[in-house]
Amino acid sequence: MRFVQTSDWQWGMTRRWLGPEDQARYTQARNDAVVRAGEVAAEHDCAFIVVAGDVFDSNQLRPQTVRRAMEALRRVPVPVYLLPGNHDALDAASVYDSPTFAEAGLEHVHVLRDSTPVEAAPGVELVGVPLHSNTPHEDVVAPVLDALEPAPPGVRRVLVAHGQLRVLDPGNRVSALDETRLRRALDEGVVHWVALGDRHSRWADPESGRIHYSGAVEVTDFREELPGDVLVVDLGEDGQDPSMTPVHVGSWSFLQVREELTGLEDVRRLRARWEQLVDKERTVIRHALSGTLTLTEDAELQDLLEWAQDTFAAVTAWERHTDVAVVPEDAELADIGVGGYVGRAAEDLRALATDGASERSAVAADALRLLHRYARGGERA
Ligand SMILES: [Mn+2]
């Protein structure tokens, strides 16, 4: 018996570095990823799809966002079980109780509103742990497991929950889920598989092999590992161990680039690497560039960044880790100045630009860049 495990669809999510057109394509991409998840379910003969929370990015979404999401769900050919997570908690304002959600009338879509075991397929039960608030004050899974009897013979049970495991939560939040309790429930046959959401990176518990985060259906941040996958889970027959296979359904990538630039070679190598990337219009780059460049080298870098801005979905500087110092060579200064007043100004700027890492240096370097650009423009004209 197989099913598709996924989570963190985050419908309605916006990203500040995307312009309006690119944001619209990013929004459409998560609808497409969900349709693709439905195709994966059909291709792998899966009985249903389970979404382990954060189906929606918020309970306050424009009706248009919800309606289009419903149309994507309508195209999924198997039953779908949605778990309310922290972003779409089952509170008084829940999107799952909104008229827009209800009007879609999707009979194959079910919301796991409590922890009563639900028969999702013959011999398969889902036990959901929905969140009723976006900031739970305890491990909400442990008490559910305490109250569960071992599954009846012949029944395979899947726990569906949303939150960080303690082992993955450096902040030690009170809401973190106790992995030892989950492993015990697996050992005792209370549940046979644990499908988790909240973490947008894919992750598998190395100890039990049966506690899994699928990761977000479409990438949402630069730090994520293996986002954009769904898991095809095979629960196996009695006595067999369950297993899973990841299948990629996302179409965007977020790339973080940290690079030290010390000359033209480095800038050109960076350009070559970016030119080789496929799906540029669905790639977001965050760069942290450092190093020292001459005015001419820096001009080539600025050309590259300008090209990249137009070519990729977004290109954004990671300010905290960006530090490119511009140190003009004598010949470059001569080019700018053509002597006289402008030449003396350029000399002064160079002195400022190279006098250390002060804020004045950065401003002086910017001014030098501008002067150099005007001078080059003058040459061309
Ligand atoms: Mn999430």
Side-chain angles (χ1 to χ4, degrees):
M1 207 304 300
R2 285 190 283 270
F3 70 96
V4 166
Q5 174 188 335
T6 169
S7 76
D8 296 273
W9 290 358
Q10 310 291 148
W11 260 325
M13 173 180 268
T14 56
R15 303 279 72 175
R16 64 186 159 74
W17 50 77
L18 292 175
E21 280 175 37
D22 296 312
Q23 175 64 52
R25 290 189 304 107
Y26 182 64
T27 300
Q28 181 61 40
R30 46 188 15 88
N31 292 359
D32 296 343
V34 167
V35 172
R36 178 80 192 112
E39 290 166 2
V40 169
E43 286 159 15
H44 291 80
D45 209 11
C46 294
F48 58 88
I49 294 181
V50 65
V51 194
D54 286 3
V55 181
F56 295 92
D57 197 48
S58 156
N59 274 329
Q60 280 83 39
L61 291 174
R62 293 187 308 156
Q64 187 198 57
T65 307
V66 179
R67 288 188 172 125
R68 291 192 178 173
M70 293 302 100
E71 291 314 303
L73 267 181
R74 196 185 297 282
R75 291 173 60 186
V76 173
V78 296
V80 183
Y81 293 86
L82 307 176
L83 181 82
N86 60 314
H87 280 261
D88 50 357
L90 210 49
D91 58 19
S94 172
V95 61
Y96 298 108
D97 294 322
S98 70
T100 326
F101 185 82
E103 79 179 11
L106 300 176
E107 282 175 9
H108 69 300
V109 175
H110 313 278
V111 180
L112 298 168
R113 291 174 178 270
D114 58 40
S115 299
T116 312
V118 174
E119 188 175 59
V124 180
E125 284 182 358
L126 297 181
V127 175
V129 188
L131 293 184
H132 295 272
S133 127
N134 55 10
T135 49
H137 297 296
E138 57 171 358
D139 171 354
V140 291
V141 172
V144 171
L145 292 175
D146 290 345
L148 269 182
E149 297 292 326
V155 169
R156 315 225 98 195
R157 211 181 251 162
V158 177
L159 182 82
V160 189
H162 190 86
Q164 296 291 319
L165 291 174
R166 280 184 192 166
V167 68
L168 296 171
D169 185 33
N172 291 317
R173 278 169 294 181
V174 288
S175 59
L177 313 176
D178 180 1
E179 56 277 357
T180 60
R181 182 69 190 85
L182 288 169
R183 289 178 194 139
R184 201 172 87 218
L186 288 165
D187 287 343
E188 291 171 348
V190 173
V191 297
H192 301 91
W193 189 266
V194 179
L196 296 178
D198 195 33
R199 187 180 170 80
H200 293 193
S201 299
R202 178 148 68 76
W203 187 86
D205 175 31
E207 275 190 40
S208 69
R210 288 189 281 160
I211 304 173
H212 290 262
Y213 288 94
S214 62
V217 76
E218 188 64 272
V219 62
T220 66
D221 202 353
F222 298 97
R223 293 161 303 183
E224 293 163 6
E225 293 159 24
L226 306 171
D229 289 346
V230 297
L231 309 183
V232 174
V233 181
D234 191 337
L235 287 176
E237 303 303 316
D238 252 350
Q240 274 181 316
D241 279 341
S243 61
M244 70 88 188
T245 314
V247 179
H248 199 69
V249 296
S251 64
W252 280 56
S253 29
F254 285 17
L255 219 68
Q256 194 153 276
V257 179
R258 292 187 85 148
E259 204 72 49
E260 197 186 345
L261 306 172
T262 56
L264 223 41
E265 283 290 290
D266 293 340
V267 177
R268 289 184 178 158
R269 201 174 313 125
L270 187 61
R271 178 183 275 272
R273 212 175 315 141
W274 285 4
E275 280 176 349
Q276 276 165 22
L277 293 171
V278 288
D279 298 335
K280 295 186 183 65
E281 77 285 1
R282 294 195 298 272
T283 301
V284 179
I285 292 180
R286 174 161 75 175
H287 56 79
L289 304 177
S290 61
T292 304
L293 298 176
T294 66
L295 277 170
T296 316
E297 292 159 356
D298 180 68
E300 190 141 334
L301 173 62
Q302 300 310 317
D303 282 350
L304 168 60
L305 292 176
E306 203 180 301
W307 166 81
Q309 297 277 5
D310 289 342
T311 309
F312 292 94
V315 175
T316 172
W318 193 5
E319 299 290 352
R320 218 156 18 108
H321 300 281
T322 294
D323 183 22
V324 176
V326 177
V327 178
E329 287 176 330
D330 288 341
E332 290 176 326
L333 279 191
D335 281 352
I336 291 179
V338 289
Y341 176 76
V342 180
R344 283 198 301 280
E347 275 296 350
D348 289 348
L349 284 172
R350 168 160 72 170
L352 277 174
T354 51
D355 80 345
S358 71
E359 216 168 281
R360 275 191 330 178
S361 313
V363 176
D366 273 346
L368 268 174
R369 273 191 187 119
L370 261 174
L371 266 178
H372 185 247
R373 216 166 151 189
Y374 288 146
R376 282 200 313 159
E379 273 167 36
R380 273 189 228 122

